[in-house]
């Protein structure tokens, strides 16, 4: 497994370097042909992120977010990195290509590193996945955003170094930063809760659109009017659009982080809630089957019929009372997560008494409980289910008696039985044990212990 991981890492690194080399070649060829390279380089970056994300099994919304971050990272860093390289190479056409090579390699390796180690963002059967419309919408949004900056820069809306200057002005304003962070958090938290059909169908597109249309404009107004002092405008009217563009860059990174946190945490909590509900429903279903188990009821009625025919009226009456008390206990505790140990043991004794009417001389049950543990709690019906499993899967006869011992060891309730498996019958599915285990983990955050030797089968239940 470790060798496979190393091979995967090496292959991903090679893929990133190949894409970086392609970036370099495209940049060189574009300069030689006097062709703008922004769009082909953006397409290459998107392709690189998608390939790495797929290879690392990233969830689809994470793939889109990483693509957005990588594209904007390339634009922001690339806008100034080529200049020092250009000064060293004295105006060579290789300066932008080297800058592109470095940026694509760094972003690709960083994305590979993040996506391989962030297991919680890997795809699985329960992961939250947006629709194909959302994915296409996000990809188009990235390209449109990138093309918008290209058009504006070529139209000379932004002068040399103006974007960086505007970004520094935003960072120096507490109210502008607060608007960027708090505004995006509110949008991510509350927009998906609106009942509009278009938002329910395209939640991420709605979040990105609303954020892009409102937050940068508010930030620009805060900078322009010097809110909250209103002393004087700190930018000219001609710089207003460039300030919006600088705020939009900040906004994209912040809204991306907010979406990432929102959906990763909600996905994990929703997944845990879904699993817990499933475990509880499985356990309750198993308990319901125990309550109305036709086989158990058939045997009980058969024993009762035998006692009546033999005129064992006292035994029959006692049998009926114990059977009624058993069902009363199960019905009363059906919705309770825990019951007192003393109540569970008493319920188990009644169940054992019913079994002994069936297995008159083939079963020995020993109960040795520390009285100081009586007021502590266990999962209801768990002990009864273990006793039922023991009689179901093992031989019970006068020649080969089944011995079941129920005792306490520290803070554990131990149920052990002699192992003498039936040669015929249905194989065990271990569903009962799985349900008990999940119930304990969900309720007490503690696990049960299962041990199997050549002669015994042992289950230890936590006492809480």
């Amino acid at each position: 497994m470790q060798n496979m991981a190393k091979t995967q890492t090496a292959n991903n690194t090679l893929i990133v370097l190949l894409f970086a080399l392609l970036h370099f070649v495209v940049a060189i060829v574009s300069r030689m042909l006097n062709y703008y390279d922004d769009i082909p380089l953006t397409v290459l970056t998107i392709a690189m992120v998608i390939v790495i994300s797929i290879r690392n099994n990233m969830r689809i919304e994470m793939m889109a977010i990483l693509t957005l971050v990588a594209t904007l990272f390339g634009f922001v860093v690339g806008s100034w990195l080529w200049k020092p390289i250009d000064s060293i190479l004295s105006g060579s056409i290789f300066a932008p290509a080297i800058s592109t090579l470095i940026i694509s390699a760094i972003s690709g390796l960083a994305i590979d590193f993040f996506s391989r180690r962030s297991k919680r963002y890997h795809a699985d059967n329960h992961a939250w996945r947006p629709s194909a419309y959302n994915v296409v919408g996000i990809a188009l949004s990235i390209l449109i955003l990138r093309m918008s900056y290209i058009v504006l820069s070529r139209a000379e809306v932004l002068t040399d170094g103006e974007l960086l200057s505007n970004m520094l002005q935003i960072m120096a304003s507490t109210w502008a930063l607060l608007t960027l962070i708090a505004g995006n958090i509110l949008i991510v938290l509350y927009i998906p809760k609106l009942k509009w059909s278009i938002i329910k169908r395209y939640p991420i597109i709605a979040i990105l659109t609303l954020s892009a249309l409102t937050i940068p404009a508010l930030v620009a107004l805060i900078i322009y009017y010097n809110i909250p002092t209103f002393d004087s405008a700190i930018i000219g009217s001609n710089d207003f659009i460039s300030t919006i563009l600088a705020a939009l860059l900040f906004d994209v990174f912040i809204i991306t982080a907010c979406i990432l946190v929102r959906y990763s945490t909600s996905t994990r909590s929703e997944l845990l809630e879904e699993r817990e509900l499933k475990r509880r429903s499985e356990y309750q279903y198993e308990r319901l089957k125990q309550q109305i188990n036709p086989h158990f009821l058939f045997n009980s009625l058969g024993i009762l019929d035998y006692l009546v025919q033999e005129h064992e009226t006292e035994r029959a009456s006692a049998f009926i009372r114990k059977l009624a008390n058993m069902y009363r206990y199960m019905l009363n505790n059906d919705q309770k997560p825990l019951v007192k140990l003393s109540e569970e043991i008493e319920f188990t004794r009644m169940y054992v008494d019913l079994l002994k009417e069936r297995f008159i001389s083939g079963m020995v049950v020993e109960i040795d409980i520390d009285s100081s543990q009586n007021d502590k709690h266990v999962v209801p019906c768990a002990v009864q289910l273990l006793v039922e499993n023991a009689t179901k899967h093992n031989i019970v006869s006068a020649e080969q008696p089944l011995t079941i011992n129920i005792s306490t060891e520290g803070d554990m309730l131990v149920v052990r039985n002699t192992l003498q498996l039936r040669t015929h019958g249905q194989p065990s599915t271990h569903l009962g044990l799985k349900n008990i285990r999940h119930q304990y983990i969900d309720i007490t955050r503690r696990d049960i212990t299962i041990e199997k030797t050549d002669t015994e089968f042992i289950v230890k239940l936590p006492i809480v």
Side-chain angles (χ1 to χ4, degrees):
M1 183 67 69
Q2 189 173 5
N3 291 333
M4 291 178 61
K6 290 181 178 179
T7 303
Q8 174 85 351
T9 302
N11 290 339
N12 287 354
T13 302
L14 180 60
I15 290 172
V16 169
L17 295 178
L18 287 175
F19 269 104
L21 184 60
L22 282 174
H23 279 74
F24 179 83
V25 172
V26 168
I28 290 291
V29 173
S30 298
R31 291 300 187 278
M32 293 175 63
L33 298 176
N34 197 25
Y35 174 76
Y36 289 110
D37 59 4
D38 306 79
I39 298 302
L41 290 180
T42 301
V43 172
L44 278 176
T45 300
I46 293 173
M48 178 182 67
V49 177
I50 290 175
V51 170
I52 296 299
S53 298
I54 291 176
R55 286 179 59 82
N56 292 336
N57 196 35
M58 293 298 288
R59 280 162 30 192
I60 203 164
E61 81 277 14
M62 281 301 306
M63 184 190 304
I65 291 174
L66 291 175
T67 303
L68 180 62
V69 171
T71 304
L72 292 177
F73 173 78
F75 172 74
V76 174
V77 178
S79 63
W80 61 265
L81 180 60
W82 71 274
K83 294 180 180 179
I85 298 176
D86 183 65
S87 63
I88 296 173
L89 299 179
S90 302
S92 170
I93 63 171
F94 287 98
I98 293 174
S99 170
T100 300
L101 174 70
I102 294 172
I103 293 171
S104 58
I106 291 175
S107 60
L109 293 174
I111 287 172
D112 177 51
F113 179 85
F114 170 80
S115 58
R116 279 189 292 105
R117 283 162 174 75
S118 301
K119 303 295 184 183
R120 65 183 299 181
Y121 301 129
H122 287 187
D124 55 46
N125 292 333
H126 302 280
W128 176 84
R129 298 171 181 271
S131 66
Y133 295 104
N134 282 339
V135 178
V136 173
I138 291 171
L140 290 176
S141 299
I142 295 170
L143 289 174
I144 291 171
L145 177 64
R146 185 72 174 94
M147 291 174 65
S148 299
Y149 273 95
I150 293 170
V151 172
L152 290 172
S153 61
R154 291 174 187 169
E156 298 184 353
V157 174
L158 298 176
T159 59
D160 189 29
E162 187 176 4
L163 180 63
L164 179 60
S165 175
N166 293 137
M167 294 176 71
L168 293 175
Q169 285 181 333
I170 293 172
M171 293 176 65
S173 172
T174 302
W175 285 95
L177 290 177
L178 183 62
T179 300
L180 279 167
I181 297 172
N184 281 312
I185 291 176
L186 291 175
I187 287 174
V188 170
L189 287 178
Y190 292 105
I191 289 301
K193 296 181 179 180
L194 297 178
K195 299 186 181 300
W196 299 345
S197 59
I198 190 169
I199 291 179
K200 288 185 174 297
R201 190 173 184 182
Y202 312 113
I204 292 185
I205 293 179
I207 290 172
L208 290 174
T209 302
L210 183 61
S211 176
L213 291 177
T214 58
I215 302 299
L218 290 174
V219 170
L221 289 173
I222 291 172
I223 299 296
Y224 183 79
Y225 288 107
N226 200 15
I227 297 175
T229 61
F230 296 97
D231 293 338
S232 60
I234 61 175
I235 59 173
S237 58
N238 293 333
D239 300 326
F240 191 79
I241 294 179
S242 62
T243 304
I244 290 179
L245 294 176
L248 183 58
L249 277 177
F250 277 118
D251 182 68
V252 169
F253 281 109
I254 294 174
I255 193 67
T256 299
C258 292
I259 291 173
L260 172 61
V261 172
R262 168 69 177 86
Y263 282 105
S264 63
T265 54
S266 65
T267 298
R268 186 171 184 273
S269 62
E270 289 167 5
L271 178 57
L272 290 175
E273 182 180 356
E274 177 186 345
R275 287 177 177 172
E276 182 173 348
L277 289 174
K278 182 179 179 182
R279 290 172 184 173
R280 288 180 182 274
S281 63
E282 286 178 348
Y283 184 78
Q284 290 177 354
Y285 175 66
E286 183 67 18
R287 287 166 61 184
L288 180 61
K289 287 198 302 182
Q290 293 296 324
Q291 293 176 24
I292 60 175
N293 189 321
H295 182 69
F296 171 72
L297 187 59
F298 175 78
N299 288 333
S300 298
L301 293 177
I303 294 170
L304 184 59
D305 180 64
Y306 169 80
L307 295 176
V308 171
Q309 290 189 28
E310 294 296 320
H311 303 289
E312 298 279 356
T313 54
E314 292 185 4
R315 287 178 61 191
S317 178
F319 186 91
I320 293 172
R321 287 196 301 272
K322 290 176 182 177
L323 187 62
N325 289 334
M326 274 193 61
Y327 277 88
R328 183 183 298 111
Y329 175 87
M330 288 188 285
L331 291 172
N332 289 342
N333 294 289
D334 181 60
Q335 300 299 323
K336 292 182 180 179
L338 296 170
V339 294
K340 286 186 178 182
L341 176 60
S342 58
E343 296 176 0
E344 177 69 10
I345 294 300
E346 183 61 30
F347 167 69
T348 304
R349 290 183 191 274
M350 289 189 294
Y351 180 70
V352 169
D353 288 343
L354 294 184
L355 289 177
K356 285 185 175 180
E357 294 290 347
R358 176 185 173 192
F359 306 111
I360 299 175
S361 58
M363 186 173 67
V364 178
V365 178
E366 303 167 343
I367 300 179
D368 182 17
I369 301 297
D370 184 355
S371 58
S372 63
Q373 305 276 29
N374 283 337
D375 289 334
K376 295 184 178 180
H377 297 82
V378 293
V379 169
C381 301
V383 180
Q384 175 265 331
L385 185 58
L386 294 177
V387 174
E388 170 74 9
N389 284 344
T391 60
K392 184 189 301 182
H393 301 299
N394 292 277
I395 297 173
V396 185
S397 65
E399 296 78 17
Q400 199 172 355
L402 175 68
T403 301
I404 302 174
N405 180 272
I406 304 172
S407 61
T408 50
E409 293 180 5
D411 62 347
M412 303 292 285
L413 180 65
V414 183
V415 181
R416 66 179 77 224
N417 62 266
T418 50
L419 196 62
Q420 44 201 48
L421 296 175
R422 299 176 185 268
T423 55
H424 302 288
Q426 294 181 346
S428 175
T429 61
H430 301 289
L431 180 61
L433 286 174
K434 289 179 182 177
N435 288 332
I436 294 174
R437 164 168 278 155
H438 291 325
Q439 191 79 345
Y440 262 101
I441 292 175
D442 290 340
I443 295 172
T444 70
R445 299 296 183 263
R446 293 175 63 186
D447 199 358
I448 67 174
T449 302
I450 301 173
E451 301 174 8
K452 186 177 181 181
T453 68
D454 293 337
T455 59
E456 284 188 319
F457 187 81
I458 307 167
V459 180
K460 296 182 180 180
L461 307 175
I463 303 173
V464 295

